[in-house]
Coordinates of all heavy atoms in Angstrom, one line a residue:
S385 N 0.8 -1.2 0.0 CA 0.0 0.0 0.0 C 0.9 1.2 0.0 O 2.0 1.2 0.3 CB -0.9 0.0 1.2 OG -0.3 0.5 2.3
K386 N 0.2 2.4 -0.3 CA 0.9 3.6 -0.3 C 1.5 3.9 1.0 O 2.7 4.4 1.1 CB 0.0 4.7 -0.8 CG 0.5 6.1 -0.7 CD -0.4 7.1 -1.3 CE -1.3 7.8 -0.3 NZ -2.1 8.9 -0.9
Y387 N 0.8 3.6 2.1 CA 1.3 4.0 3.4 C 2.4 3.1 3.9 O 3.3 3.5 4.6 CB 0.1 3.9 4.4 CG -0.9 5.0 4.0 CD1 -2.1 4.6 3.5 CD2 -0.6 6.3 4.3 CE1 -3.0 5.6 3.1 CE2 -1.6 7.3 3.9 CZ -2.8 6.9 3.3 OH -3.6 7.9 3.0
L388 N 2.4 1.8 3.4 CA 3.5 1.0 3.8 C 4.9 1.5 3.3 O 5.8 1.6 4.0 CB 3.3 -0.5 3.2 CG 4.4 -1.5 3.5 CD1 4.6 -1.6 5.0 CD2 4.1 -2.8 2.8
S389 N 4.9 2.0 2.0 CA 6.1 2.6 1.5 C 6.5 3.8 2.3 O 7.6 4.0 2.6 CB 5.8 3.0 0.0 OG 7.0 3.7 -0.5
R390 N 5.5 4.7 2.6 CA 5.8 5.9 3.4 C 6.3 5.5 4.8 O 7.3 6.1 5.3 CB 4.5 6.7 3.5 CG 4.8 8.1 4.2 CD 3.6 9.0 4.2 NE 3.3 9.3 2.8 CZ 2.1 9.5 2.3 NH1 1.1 9.3 3.0 NH2 1.9 9.8 1.0
D391 N 5.7 4.5 5.4 CA 6.1 4.0 6.7 C 7.6 3.5 6.7 O 8.4 3.8 7.5 CB 5.2 3.0 7.3 CG 3.9 3.5 7.7 OD1 3.7 4.7 7.8 OD2 3.0 2.7 7.9
Q392 N 7.9 2.7 5.7 CA 9.2 2.2 5.5 C 10.2 3.3 5.3 O 11.3 3.3 5.8 CB 9.3 1.2 4.4 CG 8.6 -0.1 4.6 CD 9.2 -1.0 5.7 OE1 8.7 -1.0 6.8 NE2 10.3 -1.6 5.4
H393 N 9.8 4.3 4.5 CA 10.7 5.4 4.2 C 10.9 6.2 5.4 O 12.1 6.6 5.7 CB 10.0 6.2 3.1 CG 10.9 7.4 2.6 ND1 10.5 8.7 2.9 CD2 12.0 7.5 2.0 CE1 11.4 9.5 2.4 NE2 12.3 8.8 1.9
N394 N 9.9 6.5 6.2 CA 10.0 7.3 7.4 C 10.9 6.5 8.4 O 11.7 7.1 9.1 CB 8.7 7.6 8.0 CG 7.9 8.7 7.2 OD1 8.5 9.4 6.4 ND2 6.6 8.7 7.3
L395 N 10.7 5.2 8.5 CA 11.5 4.4 9.4 C 13.0 4.5 8.9 O 13.9 4.6 9.8 CB 11.0 3.0 9.4 CG 11.7 2.0 10.3 CD1 11.6 2.6 11.8 CD2 11.0 0.7 10.3
G396 N 13.2 4.4 7.6 CA 14.6 4.6 7.1 C 15.2 5.9 7.5 O 16.4 6.0 8.0
N397 N 14.4 7.0 7.4 CA 14.9 8.3 7.8 C 15.3 8.4 9.3 O 16.3 8.9 9.7 CB 13.9 9.4 7.5 CG 13.7 9.7 6.1 OD1 14.6 9.3 5.2 ND2 12.6 10.3 5.7
S398 N 14.4 7.8 10.1 CA 14.6 7.8 11.6 C 15.9 7.0 11.9 O 16.7 7.5 12.7 CB 13.4 7.2 12.2 OG 13.6 7.1 13.6
I399 N 16.1 5.9 11.3 CA 17.2 5.0 11.5 C 18.5 5.7 11.0 O 19.5 5.7 11.7 CB 17.1 3.7 10.9 CG1 16.0 2.9 11.6 CG2 18.4 2.9 10.9 CD1 15.5 1.6 10.9
Y400 N 18.4 6.4 9.9 CA 19.5 7.1 9.4 C 20.0 8.2 10.3 O 21.2 8.4 10.6 CB 19.2 7.7 8.0 CG 20.3 8.6 7.4 CD1 21.4 8.0 6.9 CD2 20.2 9.9 7.4 CE1 22.4 8.7 6.3 CE2 21.2 10.7 6.9 CZ 22.3 10.1 6.3 OH 23.4 10.8 5.8
R401 N 19.1 8.9 10.9 CA 19.4 10.0 11.9 C 20.1 9.4 13.1 O 20.8 10.1 13.8 CB 18.1 10.8 12.3 CG 17.7 11.7 11.2 CD 16.6 12.7 11.7 NE 15.4 12.0 12.0 CZ 14.4 11.8 11.1 NH1 14.5 12.2 9.9 NH2 13.3 11.2 11.5
Q402 N 19.9 8.1 13.4 CA 20.6 7.5 14.5 C 21.9 6.9 14.1 O 22.5 6.1 14.9 CB 19.7 6.4 15.1 CG 18.3 6.9 15.6 CD 17.4 5.8 16.0 OE1 17.8 4.7 16.3 NE2 16.1 6.0 15.9
N403 N 22.4 7.3 12.9 CA 23.7 6.8 12.4 C 23.7 5.3 12.3 O 24.8 4.7 12.5 CB 24.8 7.3 13.3 CG 25.1 8.7 13.1 OD1 25.0 9.2 12.0 ND2 25.5 9.4 14.1
Q404 N 22.7 4.7 11.9 CA 22.6 3.2 11.6 C 22.4 3.1 10.1 O 21.3 2.7 9.7 CB 21.5 2.6 12.4 CG 21.7 2.6 13.9 CD 20.6 2.0 14.7 OE1 19.9 1.2 14.2 NE2 20.5 2.4 15.9
Q405 N 23.4 3.5 9.3 CA 23.2 3.5 7.9 C 22.9 2.2 7.2 O 22.1 2.1 6.3 CB 24.4 4.1 7.2 CG 24.4 5.6 7.3 CD 25.4 6.2 8.3 OE1 26.1 5.4 9.0 NE2 25.4 7.5 8.4
G406 N 23.5 1.1 7.7 CA 23.2 -0.2 7.1 C 21.7 -0.6 7.3 O 21.1 -1.0 6.3
E407 N 21.1 -0.3 8.4 CA 19.7 -0.6 8.7 C 18.8 0.3 7.9 O 17.8 -0.1 7.3 CB 19.4 -0.5 10.2 CG 18.0 -1.0 10.5 CD 17.8 -2.5 10.4 OE1 18.7 -3.2 10.4 OE2 16.6 -2.8 10.2
A408 N 19.3 1.6 7.8 CA 18.5 2.6 7.0 C 18.5 2.1 5.5 O 17.4 2.2 4.9 CB 19.1 4.0 7.1
Q409 N 19.6 1.7 5.0 CA 19.6 1.2 3.6 C 18.6 0.1 3.4 O 17.9 0.1 2.4 CB 21.0 0.7 3.3 CG 21.1 0.1 1.9 CD 22.5 -0.5 1.6 OE1 23.5 -0.2 2.4 NE2 22.6 -1.2 0.6
I410 N 18.5 -0.8 4.3 CA 17.6 -1.9 4.2 C 16.1 -1.4 4.1 O 15.3 -1.8 3.3 CB 17.7 -2.9 5.3 CG1 19.1 -3.7 5.2 CG2 16.6 -3.9 5.4 CD1 19.5 -4.5 6.4
K411 N 15.8 -0.4 5.0 CA 14.5 0.1 5.0 C 14.1 0.9 3.7 O 13.0 0.8 3.2 CB 14.3 1.0 6.2 CG 14.3 0.3 7.6 CD 13.3 -0.9 7.6 CE 13.4 -1.7 8.9 NZ 12.7 -2.9 8.9
Y412 N 15.1 1.6 3.2 CA 14.9 2.3 2.0 C 14.6 1.4 0.8 O 13.7 1.6 0.0 CB 16.1 3.3 1.6 CG 16.2 4.5 2.5 CD1 17.5 4.9 2.8 CD2 15.1 5.1 3.0 CE1 17.6 6.1 3.6 CE2 15.3 6.3 3.8 CZ 16.5 6.7 4.1 OH 16.7 7.8 4.9
I413 N 15.4 0.3 0.8 CA 15.2 -0.7 -0.3 C 13.9 -1.4 -0.2 O 13.2 -1.6 -1.2 CB 16.4 -1.7 -0.3 CG1 17.7 -1.0 -0.8 CG2 16.1 -2.9 -1.2 CD1 19.0 -1.7 -0.6
Q414 N 13.5 -1.7 1.1 CA 12.1 -2.3 1.3 C 11.1 -1.3 0.8 O 10.0 -1.7 0.3 CB 11.9 -2.6 2.7 CG 12.8 -3.8 3.2 CD 12.7 -4.1 4.7 OE1 12.4 -3.2 5.5 NE2 13.1 -5.3 5.0
A415 N 11.3 0.0 1.1 CA 10.3 1.0 0.7 C 10.2 1.1 -0.9 O 9.1 1.2 -1.4 CB 10.7 2.4 1.3
L416 N 11.4 1.0 -1.5 CA 11.4 1.0 -3.0 C 10.6 -0.2 -3.6 O 9.9 -0.1 -4.6 CB 12.8 0.9 -3.5 CG 13.6 2.2 -3.7 CD1 15.0 1.9 -4.1 CD2 12.9 3.1 -4.7
E417 N 10.6 -1.3 -2.9 CA 9.9 -2.5 -3.4 C 8.4 -2.3 -3.4 O 7.7 -2.9 -4.2 CB 10.2 -3.7 -2.5 CG 11.7 -4.2 -2.7 CD 12.1 -5.3 -1.7 OE1 11.3 -5.7 -0.9 OE2 13.2 -5.8 -1.9
V418 N 7.9 -1.4 -2.6 CA 6.4 -1.2 -2.5 C 6.0 0.2 -3.0 O 4.8 0.5 -3.1 CB 5.8 -1.5 -1.1 CG1 6.0 -2.9 -0.8 CG2 6.5 -0.6 -0.1
A419 N 7.0 1.0 -3.4 CA 6.7 2.4 -3.8 C 5.9 2.3 -5.2 O 6.3 1.5 -6.0 CB 8.0 3.2 -4.0
K420 N 4.9 3.1 -5.3 CA 4.1 3.1 -6.5 C 4.3 4.4 -7.3 O 4.2 4.3 -8.5 CB 2.6 3.0 -6.1 CG 2.3 1.8 -5.2 CD 1.8 0.7 -6.1 CE 1.3 -0.5 -5.3 NZ 2.2 -1.5 -5.0
T421 N 4.5 5.5 -6.7 CA 4.5 6.8 -7.4 C 6.0 7.2 -7.7 O 6.9 6.9 -7.0 CB 3.8 7.9 -6.7 OG1 4.5 8.2 -5.5 CG2 2.4 7.5 -6.3
K422 N 6.1 8.0 -8.7 CA 7.4 8.6 -9.0 C 7.9 9.5 -7.8 O 9.1 9.5 -7.5 CB 7.4 9.4 -10.3 CG 7.3 8.6 -11.6 CD 7.4 9.5 -12.8 CE 7.5 8.6 -14.0 NZ 8.9 8.3 -14.4
E423 N 7.0 10.2 -7.2 CA 7.3 11.0 -6.1 C 7.9 10.2 -4.9 O 9.0 10.6 -4.4 CB 6.1 11.8 -5.6 CG 6.4 12.6 -4.3 CD 5.1 13.2 -3.8 OE1 4.1 13.4 -4.5 OE2 5.1 13.5 -2.6
E424 N 7.3 9.1 -4.6 CA 7.9 8.2 -3.6 C 9.2 7.7 -4.0 O 10.2 7.7 -3.2 CB 6.9 7.0 -3.3 CG 5.7 7.3 -2.6 CD 4.8 6.1 -2.5 OE1 4.6 5.3 -3.5 OE2 4.2 5.9 -1.5
K425 N 9.3 7.2 -5.2 CA 10.6 6.6 -5.7 C 11.7 7.7 -5.7 O 12.8 7.4 -5.3 CB 10.5 6.0 -7.1 CG 9.6 4.8 -7.0 CD 9.3 4.3 -8.4 CE 8.4 3.1 -8.4 NZ 8.1 2.6 -9.7
H426 N 11.4 8.9 -6.1 CA 12.3 10.0 -6.1 C 12.9 10.3 -4.7 O 14.1 10.3 -4.5 CB 11.7 11.3 -6.6 CG 12.5 12.5 -6.4 ND1 12.2 13.4 -5.3 CD2 13.6 13.0 -6.9 CE1 13.1 14.3 -5.3 NE2 14.0 14.1 -6.3
R427 N 12.0 10.4 -3.7 CA 12.4 10.6 -2.3 C 13.3 9.5 -1.8 O 14.4 9.8 -1.2 CB 11.2 10.8 -1.4 CG 10.6 12.1 -1.4 CD 9.6 12.3 -0.2 NE 9.0 11.1 0.3 CZ 7.8 10.6 -0.1 NH1 7.1 11.3 -1.0 NH2 7.3 9.5 0.4
I428 N 13.0 8.3 -2.1 CA 13.7 7.2 -1.6 C 15.1 7.1 -2.2 O 16.1 6.9 -1.5 CB 12.9 5.8 -1.8 CG1 11.6 5.9 -1.0 CG2 13.8 4.7 -1.4 CD1 10.6 4.8 -1.4
Y429 N 15.1 7.2 -3.6 CA 16.4 7.2 -4.2 C 17.3 8.4 -3.8 O 18.5 8.2 -3.6 CB 16.2 7.3 -5.8 CG 15.9 5.9 -6.4 CD1 14.8 5.7 -7.1 CD2 16.8 4.9 -6.3 CE1 14.5 4.5 -7.7 CE2 16.6 3.6 -6.8 CZ 15.4 3.4 -7.5 OH 15.2 2.2 -8.1
H430 N 16.7 9.6 -3.6 CA 17.5 10.7 -3.1 C 18.1 10.4 -1.8 O 19.3 10.6 -1.6 CB 16.6 11.9 -3.0 CG 17.3 13.1 -2.5 ND1 18.0 14.0 -3.3 CD2 17.5 13.6 -1.3 CE1 18.5 15.0 -2.6 NE2 18.3 14.7 -1.3
N431 N 17.4 9.8 -0.9 CA 17.9 9.5 0.4 C 18.9 8.4 0.4 O 19.9 8.4 1.1 CB 16.8 9.1 1.4 CG 16.0 10.3 1.8 OD1 16.4 11.5 1.7 ND2 14.8 10.1 2.3
L432 N 18.8 7.4 -0.5 CA 19.8 6.4 -0.7 C 21.1 7.1 -1.2 O 22.2 6.7 -0.7 CB 19.3 5.4 -1.7 CG 18.6 4.2 -1.2 CD1 18.0 3.3 -2.3 CD2 19.4 3.3 -0.3
G433 N 21.0 8.0 -2.1 CA 22.1 8.7 -2.6 C 22.9 9.4 -1.5 O 24.1 9.3 -1.4
T434 N 22.1 10.1 -0.7 CA 22.7 10.8 0.5 C 23.4 9.8 1.4 O 24.4 10.1 2.0 CB 21.6 11.6 1.2 OG1 21.0 12.5 0.3 CG2 22.2 12.3 2.4
L435 N 22.8 8.7 1.6 CA 23.3 7.6 2.5 C 24.7 7.1 2.0 O 25.6 6.9 2.7 CB 22.3 6.4 2.5 CG 22.6 5.3 3.4 CD1 22.4 5.7 4.9 CD2 21.7 4.1 3.1
Y436 N 24.8 7.0 0.6 CA 26.0 6.5 0.0 C 27.2 7.5 -0.1 O 28.3 7.1 -0.3 CB 25.7 5.9 -1.3 CG 24.9 4.7 -1.3 CD1 23.8 4.5 -2.2 CD2 25.0 3.7 -0.4 CE1 23.0 3.4 -2.3 CE2 24.2 2.5 -0.4 CZ 23.2 2.4 -1.3 OH 22.5 1.3 -1.3
V437 N 26.8 8.8 -0.1 CA 27.9 9.8 -0.4 C 29.0 9.7 0.7 O 28.7 9.5 1.9 CB 27.3 11.2 -0.3 CG1 28.3 12.3 -0.2 CG2 26.4 11.5 -1.6
G438 N 30.2 9.7 0.2 CA 31.3 9.6 1.1 C 31.7 8.2 1.4 O 32.8 7.9 2.0
K439 N 30.9 7.2 1.0 CA 31.3 5.8 1.2 C 31.3 5.0 -0.1 O 32.3 4.3 -0.4 CB 30.2 5.2 2.1 CG 30.2 5.8 3.5 CD 28.9 5.4 4.2 CE 28.6 6.3 5.4 NZ 28.1 7.6 5.1
K440 N 30.3 5.1 -0.9 CA 30.1 4.3 -2.1 C 29.7 5.3 -3.2 O 28.5 5.4 -3.5 CB 29.1 3.2 -1.9 CG 29.5 2.2 -0.8 CD 28.4 1.2 -0.6 CE 28.8 0.3 0.6 NZ 27.7 -0.6 1.0
Y441 N 30.7 6.0 -3.8 CA 30.3 7.0 -4.8 C 29.5 6.5 -6.0 O 28.7 7.2 -6.5 CB 31.6 7.7 -5.2 CG 32.2 8.6 -4.1 CD1 33.4 8.2 -3.5 CD2 31.6 9.7 -3.7 CE1 33.9 9.0 -2.5 CE2 32.1 10.5 -2.6 CZ 33.3 10.1 -2.1 OH 33.8 10.8 -1.1
D442 N 29.9 5.3 -6.4 CA 29.2 4.7 -7.6 C 27.7 4.5 -7.3 O 26.8 4.8 -8.1 CB 29.9 3.5 -8.1 CG 30.0 2.4 -7.1 OD1 30.1 2.7 -5.8 OD2 30.1 1.2 -7.4
L443 N 27.4 3.9 -6.1 CA 26.1 3.7 -5.7 C 25.3 5.0 -5.4 O 24.1 5.1 -5.7 CB 26.0 2.8 -4.4 CG 26.5 1.4 -4.6 CD1 26.5 0.7 -3.2 CD2 25.7 0.7 -5.6
A444 N 26.0 6.0 -4.9 CA 25.4 7.3 -4.7 C 25.0 7.9 -6.0 O 23.9 8.4 -6.2 CB 26.4 8.3 -4.0
A445 N 25.9 7.9 -7.0 CA 25.6 8.4 -8.4 C 24.4 7.7 -9.0 O 23.5 8.3 -9.5 CB 26.8 8.3 -9.3
D446 N 24.4 6.4 -8.9 CA 23.2 5.6 -9.4 C 21.9 6.0 -8.7 O 20.9 6.1 -9.4 CB 23.5 4.1 -9.3 CG 24.5 3.6 -10.3 OD1 24.8 4.3 -11.2 OD2 25.0 2.5 -10.0
A447 N 22.0 6.1 -7.4 CA 20.8 6.5 -6.7 C 20.3 7.9 -7.1 O 19.1 8.1 -7.3 CB 21.0 6.4 -5.2
Y448 N 21.2 8.8 -7.2 CA 20.8 10.2 -7.6 C 20.2 10.2 -9.0 O 19.3 10.9 -9.3 CB 21.9 11.2 -7.5 CG 22.2 11.6 -6.0 CD1 23.5 11.7 -5.5 CD2 21.2 11.9 -5.2 CE1 23.7 12.1 -4.2 CE2 21.4 12.3 -3.8 CZ 22.7 12.4 -3.4 OH 22.9 12.8 -2.1
K449 N 20.8 9.4 -9.9 CA 20.3 9.3 -11.3 C 18.9 8.8 -11.3 O 18.0 9.3 -12.0 CB 21.2 8.4 -12.1 CG 22.5 9.0 -12.5 CD 23.4 8.0 -13.3 CE 24.8 8.5 -13.5 NZ 25.7 7.5 -14.1
N450 N 18.7 7.7 -10.5 CA 17.3 7.2 -10.4 C 16.3 8.2 -9.8 O 15.2 8.3 -10.2 CB 17.3 5.9 -9.6 CG 17.8 4.7 -10.4 OD1 17.5 4.6 -11.6 ND2 18.6 3.9 -9.9
A451 N 16.8 9.0 -8.8 CA 15.9 10.0 -8.2 C 15.6 11.0 -9.3 O 14.4 11.4 -9.4 CB 16.7 10.7 -7.1
L452 N 16.5 11.4 -10.1 CA 16.2 12.4 -11.2 C 15.4 11.8 -12.3 O 14.6 12.5 -12.9 CB 17.5 12.9 -11.8 CG 18.3 13.9 -10.8 CD1 19.7 14.2 -11.4 CD2 17.5 15.2 -10.6
R453 N 15.5 10.5 -12.5 CA 14.6 9.9 -13.5 C 13.1 10.0 -13.0 O 12.2 10.1 -13.9 CB 14.9 8.4 -13.7 CG 16.2 8.2 -14.5 CD 16.5 6.8 -14.8 NE 17.7 6.6 -15.5 CZ 18.9 6.2 -15.0 NH1 18.9 5.8 -13.7 NH2 20.0 6.1 -15.7
N454 N 12.9 10.0 -11.7 CA 11.6 10.1 -11.2 C 11.1 11.5 -10.9 O 9.9 11.7 -10.9 CB 11.5 9.2 -9.9 CG 11.5 7.8 -10.2 OD1 10.5 7.2 -10.5 ND2 12.6 7.1 -10.0
N455 N 12.1 12.4 -10.8 CA 11.7 13.8 -10.7 C 12.9 14.7 -11.2 O 13.7 15.1 -10.5 CB 11.4 14.2 -9.3 CG 11.0 15.7 -9.1 OD1 10.9 16.4 -10.1 ND2 10.8 16.1 -7.9
P456 N 12.9 14.9 -12.6 CA 14.0 15.6 -13.2 C 14.1 17.1 -12.8 O 15.1 17.7 -13.0 CB 13.8 15.5 -14.7 CG 12.5 14.8 -14.9 CD 12.0 14.4 -13.5
K457 N 13.1 17.6 -12.2 CA 13.1 19.0 -11.8 C 13.6 19.3 -10.4 O 13.7 20.5 -10.0 CB 11.7 19.6 -12.0 CG 11.2 19.5 -13.4 CD 9.8 20.1 -13.5 CE 9.3 20.0 -15.0 NZ 8.0 20.4 -15.2
D458 N 14.0 18.3 -9.7 CA 14.4 18.5 -8.3 C 15.8 19.1 -8.3 O 16.8 18.4 -8.6 CB 14.3 17.3 -7.5 CG 14.8 17.5 -6.0 OD1 14.4 18.5 -5.4 OD2 15.5 16.6 -5.5
E459 N 16.0 20.3 -7.9 CA 17.3 21.0 -8.0 C 18.2 20.5 -6.8 O 19.4 20.5 -7.0 CB 17.2 22.5 -7.9 CG 16.5 23.0 -9.1 CD 16.3 24.6 -9.1 OE1 17.0 25.2 -8.2 OE2 15.6 25.1 -9.9
E460 N 17.6 20.0 -5.7 CA 18.4 19.5 -4.6 C 19.2 18.2 -5.0 O 20.3 18.1 -4.7 CB 17.6 19.3 -3.4 CG 18.4 18.9 -2.2 CD 17.5 18.7 -0.9 OE1 16.4 19.2 -0.9 OE2 18.0 18.0 0.0
T461 N 18.5 17.4 -5.7 CA 19.1 16.1 -6.2 C 20.2 16.5 -7.2 O 21.2 15.9 -7.2 CB 18.1 15.2 -6.8 OG1 17.1 14.9 -5.8 CG2 18.7 13.9 -7.3

């Protein structure tokens, strides 16, 4: 459901803020599996990109590219 994706995404954000990036990555990927809209996918991919910056540049670049595919007008991404 739409809310399951949002719940997983919010849980990922909460976990990320607690510096548990590995667990946050899992929650974001779970959210992607149920995301239905481009808006949801954009937010999740953007957050994955942010998660990977400084650690896995290739994965960060891929995540940001996918975010822009879902919302090419987002200047922050």
Side-chain angles (χ1 to χ4, degrees):
S385 85
K386 173 169 101 174
Y387 297 105
L388 179 60
S389 174
R390 185 172 298 142
D391 290 345
Q392 291 293 101
H393 183 249
N394 290 339
L395 185 55
N397 288 343
S398 176
I399 291 168
Y400 177 73
R401 284 191 293 273
Q402 297 171 28
N403 284 325
Q404 298 177 21
Q405 279 104 0
E407 187 68 21
Q409 177 185 347
I410 291 167
K411 294 302 177 192
Y412 290 146
I413 291 170
Q414 288 173 341
L416 273 175
E417 290 173 358
V418 295
K420 302 267 189 268
T421 68
K422 286 184 174 274
E423 178 186 335
E424 288 176 316
K425 291 175 185 178
H426 166 258
R427 278 195 328 265
I428 297 164
Y429 278 121
H430 178 90
N431 288 341
L432 271 171
T434 302
L435 184 74
Y436 293 138
V437 166
K439 297 166 197 70
K440 301 175 182 174
Y441 292 109
D442 56 335
L443 294 177
D446 287 343
Y448 284 137
K449 286 177 191 174
N450 281 319
L452 288 171
R453 285 184 184 108
N454 286 282
N455 181 0
K457 295 180 180 178
D458 182 42
E459 293 181 16
E460 185 179 340
T461 301

